[in-house]
């Protein structure tokens, strides 16, 4: 029987290869892995929870039950707080960041950004959702309270990024800036096991992915590109869960676009929680990620925690070709 490397083993091996590594960063990654397992357990039972009259209702023990995205948010925050090695979190679900400052605890140099349950409108209909995370080194002094600037950093400053996809199987994919590696959750063992080492995105792919229902409000450039895709007989795939759409793009190649629309004139997706971590992963796997102005997503200045942007991400040649049409 093949014995696969577990996520923990992989992280520890990575830590050993870095001289002077304190273990703080590795510990943080491992805690993210644990939080992912907890969320996975509940996401897998989502249908059952609904049958039991949960989601804002009262469960059998009399507790009020939270919506799954709020539950995932609370879980991530709790695990990161209890890890003792995370200075604070900014989440798509919270208006402001959360500072874990505690005078009696060791100081941490890392902050985490999360989208705890991306694509949450898909939960009730049993379609894949995901968790996205990014890790930054804080800018403010470790003895002080966190500041907004600790989170509002350009994506190029990310020290690690990853996602968990709750799909036909549950996968955790992450990078610390070198390779991109994918781990599949083995329920029997209760561990994420290395299944996709050194993931590389194909230079081109046959899929394009966009919510074409908004075509009336796309720019002429985007419309021209979509006509081109249709003319080339490319296949349209759109799940409506960014993690799932980007995961397919990473594995099979192709392109994912979320342009500006009338109802989202800045774009819909959040730079901090969605676009930056996924852009880091795609770039490290050999792909590209830009906005509609052909600016690299990872270079965009971040001024607000919930800032949005347009995004065109995927295989390098497909993104370049799209930008020729978009101009
Ligand atoms: P969410 O964070 O509220 O779940 O929204 C983000 C999701 C992405 O996963 C997905 O790509 C997009 O919204 C789909 O939006 P739309 O329904 O407008 O196509
Ligand atoms: Mg989201």
């Amino acid at each position: 029987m093949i014995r696969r490397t577990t996520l923990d083993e992989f992280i520890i091996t990575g830590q050993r290869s870095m001289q002077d590594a304190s273990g703080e960063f590795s510990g943080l990654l491992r805690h993210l892995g644990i939080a992912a397992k907890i969320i996975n357990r509940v996401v897998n039972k989502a249908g059952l929870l609904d049958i039991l009259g949960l989601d804002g209702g009262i469960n059998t023990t009399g507790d009020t039950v939270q919506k799954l995205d709020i539950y995932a948010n609370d879980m991530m925050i709790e695990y990161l707080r209890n890890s003792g090695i995370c200075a604070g979190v900014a989440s798509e679900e919270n208006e402001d960041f959360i500072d874990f400052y505690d005078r009696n605890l060791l100081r941490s140099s890392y902050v985490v950004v999360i989208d705890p349950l991306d694509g949450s409108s898909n939960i009730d209909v049993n379609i894949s959702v995901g968790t996205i995370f990014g890790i930054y080194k804080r800018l403010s002094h470790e003895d002080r309270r966190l500041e907004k600037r600790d989170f509002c950093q350009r994506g190029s400053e990310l020290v690690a990024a990853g996602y968990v996809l709750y799909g036909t199987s549950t996968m955790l994919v992450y990078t610390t800036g070198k390779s991109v590696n994918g781990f599949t959750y083995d329920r029997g063992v209760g561990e994420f096991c290395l299944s996709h080492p050194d993931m590389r995105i194909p230079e081109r792919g046959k899929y394009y992915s966009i919510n074409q229902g908004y075509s009336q409000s796309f720019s002429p450039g985007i419309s021209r590109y979509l006509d081109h895709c249709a003319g080339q007989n490319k296949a349209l795939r759109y799940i409506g869960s960014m993690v799932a759409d980007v995961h397919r793009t990473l594995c099979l190649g192709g392109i994912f676009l979320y342009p500006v629309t009338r109802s989202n004139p800045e774009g819909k997706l959040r730079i901090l929680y969605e676009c930056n971590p996924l852009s880091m992963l795609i770039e490290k796997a050999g792909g590209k990620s830009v906005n509609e102005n052909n600016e690299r997503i990872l270079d965009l200045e971040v001024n607000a925690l919930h800032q949005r942007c347009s995004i065109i991400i995927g295989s390098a040649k497909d993104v370049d070709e799209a930008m020729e049409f978009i101009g």
Side-chain angles (χ1 to χ4, degrees), residues 48-66:
L48 276 177
L49 296 177
D50 230 23
I51 289 165
L52 295 173
L54 307 186
D55 187 6
I58 309 288
N59 70 12
T60 43
T61 55
D63 303 321
T64 304
V65 176
Q66 299 157 319

Side-chain angles (χ1 to χ4, degrees), residues 242-273:
M242 191 187 187
V243 174
D245 280 316
V246 169
H247 181 71
R248 181 197 54 250
T249 308
L250 171 59
C251 295
L252 302 178
I255 190 165
F256 170 87
L257 308 92
Y258 206 113
V260 300
T261 60
R262 257 196 298 279
S263 47
N264 285 299
E266 309 286 328
K268 175 184 179 184
L269 301 170
R270 299 337 200 266
I271 298 191
L272 267 191
Y273 314 110

Side-chain angles (χ1 to χ4, degrees), residues 92 115 117-120 211 214 238 240-242 256 258 268-269 274:
E92 200 197 274
D115 181 350
L117 213 55
D118 180 61
S120 46
N211 189 337
Y214 305 141
Y238 190 72
S241 277
M242 191 187 187
F256 170 87
Y258 206 113
K268 175 184 179 184
L269 301 170
E274 292 159 330

Side-chain angles (χ1 to χ4, degrees), residues 40 128-131 163-167 169-173 243-244 247:
N40 176 56
S128 303
V129 288
T131 296
Y163 62 77
V164 186
L165 173 62
Y166 312 100
S169 59
T170 299
M171 271 194 80
L172 186 150
V173 177
V243 174
H247 181 71

Side-chain angles (χ1 to χ4, degrees), residues 41-60 65-69 120-126:
R41 201 178 58 189
V42 182
V43 167
N44 272 257
K45 285 193 283 198
L48 276 177
L49 296 177
D50 230 23
I51 289 165
L52 295 173
L54 307 186
D55 187 6
I58 309 288
N59 70 12
T60 43
V65 176
Q66 299 157 319
K67 283 189 70 188
L68 214 53
D69 41 2
S120 46
S121 64
N122 282 323
I123 297 171
D124 292 346
V125 284
N126 206 359

